[in-house]
């Protein structure tokens, strides 16, 4: 049948040593069976496969990793054998979280049950008589709990280990003097805990100090701690004394969360909203530093001698995520369409997981036709509500629901469920172990300092080269506004005008009692240029969003004035899937209906804006030519923070070199007489040039070269986008990885570092560069119009496609109508 091949098979030659080694390797992992030493016979069989001369049924080949080209022909090149590197063991213990070596960690396993309150949990109604306790402090009180092993400002992350600090764990709580001693025993040295100090100022009154994010002196919002030795009939008062936000949902009726271990064990009751006399106010203690704010509340414990927990929001730890992903990995059905991979490892060495969710395609053409959706959560570790929304999304998309199967047929979902595992583990509110807000560094070139977002951004960049990304959404939490809403990016290209607002409007129709479209905002501010939604938008994703979920509850519909439960948050994840199907419905009626509504709403906004300015303008016919950026205000008080520059460990190096710079300035210039003196002067001048260069690099924000303008922003005159397009890195990123405090600081090697000058000099030279974001809106728009409260379209979708996958190819590009 193949005479030429038969002639060649009769000729035996010695095997190639490299091929012999490779086939030993493949046979060891099960991708090849046959003799170890391959003759030219087998080599020619494999080569013949590439020419289409042999079928893939050769008894020697059992690999399914062969690549295909665009024409469906076989290419003998093997795929990367990723299945060899299991991200989680199918049996046995999970990989324990890694902590910084400064952190003490108790050995107890903390676990909470999920529970849905049978009745709505209403907001607290202030009486006006709430007590405002005077802060006493440890001078007049008794310290009953204090962490001594917490890294302070000026230090930086060096290394980590499972279990944290070596040695014996100290007993930080007070020692009880007997059964009549009613002092509470505090603890927070467990995953996501962050209580720094507790001071007993009265029999049943305690002042609490939260630990700031590690390696910073800022960001106190999230709290999670344990108390023991409770008394049932007493009224306790807790006052957190070092919160930093001037505004909080606690002023709008939000209650803290409490969890009773006895109730969980005996009555299956989990987290619930508790507290009375809730007050959020400014701390009047004048310490000569930034102002602090206090949260105070009273509580009555349900049992004597109970173990109770308090939290800002429902905790969702790194271990919780690992347990969930382990259940997915061990599910034979879900494992067919959900691939679990390691995206990267964090600074502490914890795994950042990547899920690829899609149904197997029957042909390469069908696989290539699929669009992508990218979702992520917990870039800010204290925003655990984002993890609950993510869990709801995963529960639905991994289910056997017909809608879930349809979504897997038409999309490839890339999901990063926990972007900042280090911050979640140690109980940070906002930062990673670099001491920086990761959601301000998506343009970074410092791969080793910000690996989680660097690898996420590059994963999406590679994905964009393969297929269109229909939607990107990062799940967050919001501490000052109720309801759930989206922040997007406003596109000035009239071809896609208002398209970025269609998905949020559809979501508000599908979740009318939770999602507020009027709280959404689509303005791109300069201080948000480093956020995920803006960077991904500039990379070419039109529908790029930040989903903000309140820590409180809803002011809409049937859930008005009630707190969100975990079930409410998970249901929002389900409704994201529901809205995706509406957004991609082949019937354009829903999409066009939303566009018309958006035009009407925008016209109302324009009229309102002109009325506020005292102008009367006839807008008919030319109102669509007005820039949306001129109409829309800022992001309404979003939880924003400016980039603090370099990560903590590089700032330490910068301080050392700044000292050297000052020493150089103090030296007197001498006449150049010898070659040695000329060389010394040359090195000095080189060092001065490097400092000027790094000053420019700092102001540029370490922008990466991948920021290329996408098709629909090329004609934009937005100054901020022009700035991003012109940014270029000046130095090699591999030169920035000096993490050890003992890093060599030889002046001749200064070009290997990007350093930051002092903020005072930057502000003196460019006073407007670090300006903060605009103030939040003063108008209250938390309540939706009545016409947006219910979907006005039929809920029947895809009547043909749902009957079977055979009809899938009828719509090879189901959402092409969004780009007419």
């Amino acid at each position: 049948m193949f005479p030429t091949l038969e002639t060649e098979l009769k000729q035996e030659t010695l095997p190639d040593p490299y091929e012999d080694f490779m086939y030993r390797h493949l046979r060891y992992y099960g991708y090849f069976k046959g003799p170890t030493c391959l003759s030219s016979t087998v080599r020619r069989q494999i080569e013949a496969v590439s020419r289409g001369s042999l079928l893939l049924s050769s008894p020697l080949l059992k690999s399914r990793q062969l690549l295909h080209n665009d024409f469906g022909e076989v290419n003998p090149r093997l795929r990367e054998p990723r299945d060899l590197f299991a991200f989680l063991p199918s049996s046995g213990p999970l990989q324990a979280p890694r902590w910084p070596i400064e952190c003490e960690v108790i050995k107890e396993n903390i676990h909470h049950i999920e529970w849905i309150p049978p009745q709505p949990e209403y907001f607290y109604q202030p009486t006006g008589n709430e007590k405002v306790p005077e802060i006493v402090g440890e001078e007049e009180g008794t310290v009953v709990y204090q962490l001594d092993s917490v890294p302070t400002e000026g230090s930086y992350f060096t290394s980590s280990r499972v279990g944290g600090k070596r040695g014996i764990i100290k007993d930080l709580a007070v020692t009880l003097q007997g059964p009549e001693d009613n002092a509470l025993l505090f603890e927070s040295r467990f995953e996501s805990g962050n209580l720094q100090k507790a001071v007993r100022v009265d029999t049943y009154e305690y002042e609490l100090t939260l630990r700031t994010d590690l390696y910073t002196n800022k960001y106190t919002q999230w709290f999670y701690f344990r108390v023991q030795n409770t008394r049932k009939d007493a009224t306790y008062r807790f006052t957190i004394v070092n919160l930093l936000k001037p505004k909080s949902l606690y002023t709008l009726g939000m209650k803290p969360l409490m969890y009773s271990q006895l109730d969980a064990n005996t009555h299956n009751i989990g987290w619930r909203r508790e507290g009375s006399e809730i007050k959020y106010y400014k701390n009047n203690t004048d310490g000569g530093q930034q102002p602090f704010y206090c949260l105070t509340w009273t509580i009555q414990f349900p049992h004597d001698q109970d173990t109770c927990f308090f939290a800002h929001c429902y905790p969702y730890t790194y271990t919780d995520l690992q347990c969930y992903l382990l259940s997915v990995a061990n599910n034979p059905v879900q494992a067919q369409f959900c691939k679990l991979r390691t995206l990267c490892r964090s600074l502490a060495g914890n795994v950042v997981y990547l899920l690829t969710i899609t149904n197997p395609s029957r042909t390469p053409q069908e696989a290539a036709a699929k669009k992508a959706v990218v979702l992520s959560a917990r870039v800010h570790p204290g925003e655990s509500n984002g993890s609950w929304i993510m869990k709801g999304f995963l529960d639905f998309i991994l289910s056997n629901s017909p809608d879930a199967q349809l979504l897997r047929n038409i999309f490839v979902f890339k999901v990063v469920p926990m972007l900042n595992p280090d911050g979640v583990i140690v109980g940070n509110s906002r930062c990673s172990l670099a001491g920086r807000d990761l959601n301000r560094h998506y343009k970074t070139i410092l791969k080793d300092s910000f690996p989680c977002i660097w690898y996420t951004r590059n994963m999406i960049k590679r994905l964009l080269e393969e297929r269109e990304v229909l939607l990107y959404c990062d799940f967050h939490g919001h501490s000052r506004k109720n309801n759930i809403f989206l922040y997007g990016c406003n596109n000035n290209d009239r071809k896609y005008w208002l398209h970025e607002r269609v998905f949020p409007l559809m979501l508000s129709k599908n979740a009318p009692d939770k999602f507020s479209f009027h709280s959404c905002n689509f303005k791109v501010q300069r201080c948000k240029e480093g956020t995920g939604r803006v960077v991904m938008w500039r990379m070419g994703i039109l529908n790029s969003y930040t989903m903000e979920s309140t820590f409180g509850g809803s002011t809409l519909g049937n859930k008005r004035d009630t707190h969100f439960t975990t079930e409410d948050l998970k249901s929002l994840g389900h409704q994201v899937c529901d809205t995706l199907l509406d957004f991609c419905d082949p019937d354009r009626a829903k999409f066009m209906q939303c566009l018309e509504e958006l035009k009407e709403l925008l016209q109302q906004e324009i009229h309102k804006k002109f009325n506020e300015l005292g102008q009367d303008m006839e807008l008919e016919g030319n109102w669509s030519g007005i820039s949306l950026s001129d109409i829309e205000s800022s992001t309404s008080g979003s939880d924003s923070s400016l980039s603090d520059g370099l990560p903590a460990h590089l700032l330490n190096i910068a301080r050392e070199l700044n000292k050297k710079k000052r020493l150089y300035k103090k030296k007197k210039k001498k006449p150049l007489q010898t070659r040695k003196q000329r060389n010394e002067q040359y090195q000095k001048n080189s060092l001065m040039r490097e400092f000027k260069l790094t000053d420019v690099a700092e102001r540029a924000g370490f922008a990466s070269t991948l920021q290329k303008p996408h098709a629909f922003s090329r004609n934009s005159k937005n100054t901020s986008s022009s700035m991003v397009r012109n940014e270029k890195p000046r130095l090699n990123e591999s030169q920035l990885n000096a993490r050890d405090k003992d890093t060599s600081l030889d002046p001749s090697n200064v070009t290997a570092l990007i350093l930051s000058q002092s903020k005072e000099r930057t502000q003196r030279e460019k006073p407007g560069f670090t300006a903060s974001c605009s103030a939040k809106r003063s108008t209250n728009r938390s309540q939706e119009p009545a016409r947006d409260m219910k979907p006005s379209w039929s809920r029947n979708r895809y009547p043909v496609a749902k009957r079977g996958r055979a009809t899938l190819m009828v719509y090879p590009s189901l959402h092409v109508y969004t780009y007419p």
Side-chain angles (χ1 to χ4, degrees):
M1 184 175 181
F2 305 105
T4 305
L5 179 62
E6 291 176 357
T7 302
E8 292 179 349
L9 293 180
K10 295 179 182 179
Q11 302 175 1
E12 295 290 334
T13 58
L14 293 177
D16 182 78
Y18 176 76
E19 290 187 15
D20 182 40
F21 166 77
M22 288 303 299
Y23 286 112
R24 283 177 181 271
H25 178 76
L26 292 173
R27 189 179 70 166
Y28 176 80
Y29 286 111
Y31 289 106
F32 177 81
K33 60 180 182 179
T36 301
C37 295
L38 296 179
S39 64
S40 60
T41 301
V42 177
R43 287 205 307 275
R44 286 178 173 81
Q45 285 182 351
I46 297 174
E47 291 171 359
V49 172
S50 63
R51 300 193 301 267
S53 302
L54 291 178
L55 300 177
L56 290 179
S57 58
S58 170
L60 292 177
L61 290 173
K62 72 172 199 175
S63 171
R64 296 184 179 179
Q65 301 293 307
L66 293 177
L67 293 176
H68 295 72
N69 61 21
D70 295 336
F71 302 98
E73 297 175 355
V74 178
N75 185 330
R77 181 166 54 91
L78 291 175
R79 299 179 188 271
E80 178 186 357
R82 294 181 177 179
D83 288 335
L84 304 181
F85 308 99
F87 91 106
L88 281 173
S90 58
S91 61
L94 296 170
Q95 175 185 326
R98 298 182 64 87
W99 296 71
I101 57 172
E102 302 95 334
C103 297
E104 290 186 348
V105 185
I106 62 175
K107 306 303 180 184
E108 300 176 49
N109 182 25
I110 307 297
H111 173 71
H112 304 301
I113 64 171
E114 289 188 40
W115 177 69
I116 304 173
Q119 300 296 330
E121 296 180 305
Y122 286 94
F123 292 161
Y124 173 73
Q125 298 298 323
T127 63
N129 298 321
E130 286 79 14
K131 179 182 176 181
V132 179
E134 182 181 354
I135 306 304
V136 174
E138 57 185 280
E139 292 80 8
E140 300 182 26
T142 303
V143 177
V144 295
Y145 178 83
Q146 184 167 6
L147 285 179
D148 297 324
S149 59
V150 175
T152 58
E153 183 191 8
S155 61
Y156 53 90
F157 172 74
T158 55
S159 59
S160 65
R161 65 184 296 270
V162 173
K165 190 174 183 178
R166 298 179 184 274
I168 301 175
I169 301 299
K170 300 177 183 178
D171 188 2
L172 300 184
V174 295
T175 303
L176 298 179
Q177 302 302 315
E180 300 301 323
D181 191 343
N182 57 8
L184 289 178
L185 305 179
F186 289 83
E187 185 57 85
S188 69
R189 292 173 295 173
F190 47 80
E191 202 171 344
S192 294
N194 72 335
L195 181 66
Q196 170 74 46
K197 182 170 62 175
V199 179
R200 190 180 189 184
V201 297
D202 203 348
T203 305
Y204 299 110
E205 188 170 347
Y206 295 84
E207 292 177 359
L208 310 177
T209 301
L210 302 180
R211 194 213 68 221
T212 62
D213 284 8
L214 294 191
Y215 315 112
T216 76
N217 63 347
K218 298 185 293 184
Y219 308 118
T220 50
Q221 172 183 316
W222 165 263
F223 61 86
Y224 179 33
F225 59 91
R226 184 184 74 185
V227 295
Q228 293 177 307
N229 195 37
T230 62
R231 296 295 186 268
K232 178 180 180 181
D233 298 327
T235 299
Y236 291 81
R237 176 177 290 277
F238 297 102
T239 304
I240 299 176
V241 301
N242 67 328
L243 296 168
L244 289 172
K245 289 184 179 291
K247 296 183 180 179
S248 171
L249 284 167
Y250 290 108
T251 63
L252 301 178
M254 177 175 159
K255 294 182 179 180
L257 283 162
M258 189 197 75
Y259 184 97
S260 166
Q261 195 68 57
L262 285 177
D263 277 345
N265 295 337
T266 58
H267 305 294
N268 202 36
I269 296 176
W271 288 99
R272 55 193 175 188
R273 299 284 179 173
E274 294 288 352
S276 300
E277 298 186 47
I278 301 172
K279 185 76 173 178
Y280 192 89
Y281 60 99
K282 187 175 181 179
N283 186 339
N284 293 322
T285 304
D286 186 9
Q289 47 188 322
Q290 57 185 334
F292 290 117
Y293 297 84
C294 298
L295 168 66
T296 186
W297 75 95
T298 60
I299 194 77
Q300 288 186 334
F301 293 109
H303 304 286
D304 287 328
Q305 303 297 328
D306 195 3
T307 296
C308 293
F309 296 81
F310 289 95
H312 182 58
C313 189
Y314 304 98
Y316 193 94
T317 64
Y318 183 64
T319 298
D320 291 334
L321 173 66
Q322 285 189 308
C323 291
Y324 182 85
L325 296 183
L326 182 61
S327 68
V328 173
N330 290 333
N331 186 314
V333 176
Q334 294 177 344
Q336 295 178 7
F337 51 78
C338 179
K339 303 301 180 184
L340 311 174
R341 305 293 183 223
T342 297
L343 177 66
C344 65
R345 288 189 178 269
S346 65
L347 284 180
N350 294 297
V351 175
V352 179
Y353 298 112
L354 172 65
L355 285 66
T356 302
I357 304 170
T358 189
N359 280 339
S361 301
R362 296 169 298 180
T363 64
Q365 293 79 8
E366 182 180 334
K370 290 184 176 181
K371 306 301 186 289
V373 173
V374 180
L375 302 175
S376 59
R378 295 304 283 279
V379 68
H380 294 150
E383 298 169 2
S384 59
N385 37 8
S387 280
W388 289 103
I389 296 177
M390 177 63 76
K391 186 176 188 298
F393 166 80
L394 291 175
D395 286 344
F396 183 84
I397 201 65
L398 298 176
S399 69
N400 59 0
S401 163
D403 282 354
Q405 294 178 23
L406 181 59
L407 283 168
R408 297 195 300 267
N409 285 339
I410 61 179
F411 288 118
V412 175
F413 292 91
K414 293 287 187 178
V415 181
V416 185
M418 192 169 286
L419 276 165
N420 189 355
D422 293 350
V424 173
I425 290 169
V426 302
N428 278 1
S429 290
R430 198 164 184 87
C431 296
S432 71
L433 294 184
R436 299 293 176 261
D437 180 354
L438 294 182
N439 200 38
R440 296 297 181 272
H441 288 84
Y442 270 91
K443 296 188 293 183
T444 186
I445 61 172
L446 302 178
K447 177 174 66 173
D448 288 353
S449 296
F450 306 110
C452 307
I453 55 172
W454 192 93
Y455 279 96
T456 299
R457 182 193 67 197
N458 281 272
M459 178 270 293
I460 297 174
K461 180 185 177 183
R462 293 193 302 270
L463 186 63
L464 284 167
E465 295 171 354
E466 299 173 3
R467 62 187 76 245
E468 178 188 337
V469 177
L470 174 68
L471 181 139
Y472 164 87
C473 190
D474 190 20
F475 298 156
H476 286 249
H478 206 285
S479 67
R480 286 173 282 181
K481 293 171 65 177
N482 280 308
N483 307 311
I484 301 172
F485 45 93
L486 289 176
Y487 290 146
C489 300
N490 176 44
N491 181 34
N492 291 324
D493 191 335
R494 299 301 162 178
K495 186 177 181 180
Y496 309 105
W497 196 51
L498 299 178
H499 283 203
E500 71 280 353
R501 307 182 184 215
V502 173
F503 184 84
L505 182 59
M506 285 184 170
L507 187 54
S508 71
K509 294 176 180 292
N510 289 329
D513 54 355
K514 293 187 287 289
F515 190 92
S516 169
F517 178 75
H518 285 284
S519 293
C520 297
N521 198 283
F522 303 90
K523 186 170 185 178
V524 178
Q525 299 168 268
R526 186 176 184 180
C527 63
K528 303 296 180 67
E529 286 288 343
T531 61
R533 69 174 169 97
V534 176
V535 171
M536 302 312 162
W537 177 65
R538 296 203 185 282
M539 286 170 58
I541 304 176
L542 176 65
N543 302 292
S544 182
Y545 305 107
T546 296
M547 178 175 286
E548 297 282 357
S549 170
T550 181
F551 288 105
S554 174
T555 62
L556 308 170
N558 297 329
K559 291 189 175 294
R560 185 179 181 88
D561 296 333
T562 62
H563 291 89
F564 282 150
T565 65
T566 56
E567 190 64 23
D568 291 325
L569 296 171
K570 289 193 293 183
S571 70
L572 207 284
H574 303 171
Q575 285 151 348
V576 167
C577 297
D578 202 35
T579 306
L580 267 175
L581 288 174
D582 289 332
F583 190 67
C584 300
D585 196 328
D587 183 358
R588 300 182 59 186
K590 302 172 188 177
F591 187 87
M592 299 308 298
Q593 175 186 335
C594 288
L595 273 182
E596 291 302 318
E597 290 186 25
L598 288 168
K599 290 177 182 178
E600 293 179 8
L601 288 173
L602 181 60
Q603 194 168 12
Q604 295 173 11
E605 287 293 322
I606 294 174
H607 279 293
K608 182 179 178 180
K609 179 67 68 174
F610 278 107
N611 290 336
E612 291 175 355
L613 297 175
Q615 300 178 9
D616 187 13
M617 180 177 180
E618 177 59 40
L619 300 176
E620 191 66 31
N622 64 354
W623 65 274
S624 61
I626 299 176
S627 174
L628 301 182
S629 298
D630 297 333
I631 303 166
E632 196 162 36
S633 62
S634 67
T635 51
S636 312
S638 65
D639 291 275
S640 62
S641 61
L642 295 175
S643 170
D644 293 317
L646 289 168
H649 68 281
L650 290 184
L651 279 181
N652 184 70
I653 300 175
R655 294 188 193 99
E656 294 296 328
L657 284 178
N658 278 330
K659 293 179 182 178
K660 289 196 172 188
K661 179 183 176 182
R662 288 192 293 270
L663 290 177
Y664 273 119
K665 288 183 176 180
K666 290 181 180 180
K667 291 182 178 179
K668 294 181 179 180
K669 295 182 180 180
K670 296 182 179 181
L672 300 179
Q673 297 178 353
T674 65
R675 179 179 298 177
K676 179 179 179 180
Q677 290 174 325
R678 287 195 299 270
N679 289 339
E680 290 176 350
Q681 185 64 33
Y682 176 80
Q683 291 181 357
K684 176 182 176 181
N685 294 337
S686 299
L687 183 61
M688 294 301 103
R689 285 193 297 270
E690 286 302 322
F691 275 102
K692 293 179 181 178
L693 176 64
T694 55
D695 196 22
V696 174
E698 182 188 11
R699 289 196 294 269
F702 304 103
S704 70
T705 57
L706 64 86
Q707 307 297 328
K708 56 183 180 180
H710 43 77
F712 50 76
S713 66
R714 289 172 184 168
N715 299 326
S716 172
K717 297 181 180 180
N718 190 322
T719 57
S720 62
S721 63
S722 300
M723 177 189 68
V724 174
R725 289 195 296 269
N726 292 330
E727 290 170 345
K728 295 181 180 180
R730 301 302 181 97
L731 298 178
N732 192 324
E733 67 181 47
S734 64
Q735 299 171 329
L736 306 174
N737 302 329
R739 183 175 299 158
D740 272 328
K741 61 175 69 176
D742 296 329
T743 303
S744 173
L745 298 176
D746 186 350
S748 63
N749 295 326
V750 172
T751 55
L753 300 172
I754 292 183
L755 306 172
S756 76
Q757 293 288 66
S758 65
K759 293 184 179 179
E760 292 78 5
R761 175 177 176 181
T762 303
Q763 293 174 352
R764 183 169 63 251
E765 294 178 357
K766 293 191 72 175
F769 184 74
T770 58
S772 61
C773 303
S774 304
K776 62 183 290 187
R777 303 185 192 184
S778 59
T779 57
N780 181 9
R781 291 186 157 179
S782 60
Q783 192 167 359
E784 298 279 4
R787 63 188 178 88
D788 288 340
M789 296 301 292
K790 296 181 180 179
S792 55
W793 51 63
S794 170
R795 303 307 304 155
N796 295 325
R797 292 185 302 261
Y798 299 92
V800 177
K802 284 187 176 181
R803 286 199 292 267
R805 291 187 60 190
T807 60
L808 178 64
M809 297 307 294
V810 176
Y811 305 110
S813 182
L814 291 178
H815 64 281
V816 68
Y817 67 88
T818 63
Y819 306 98

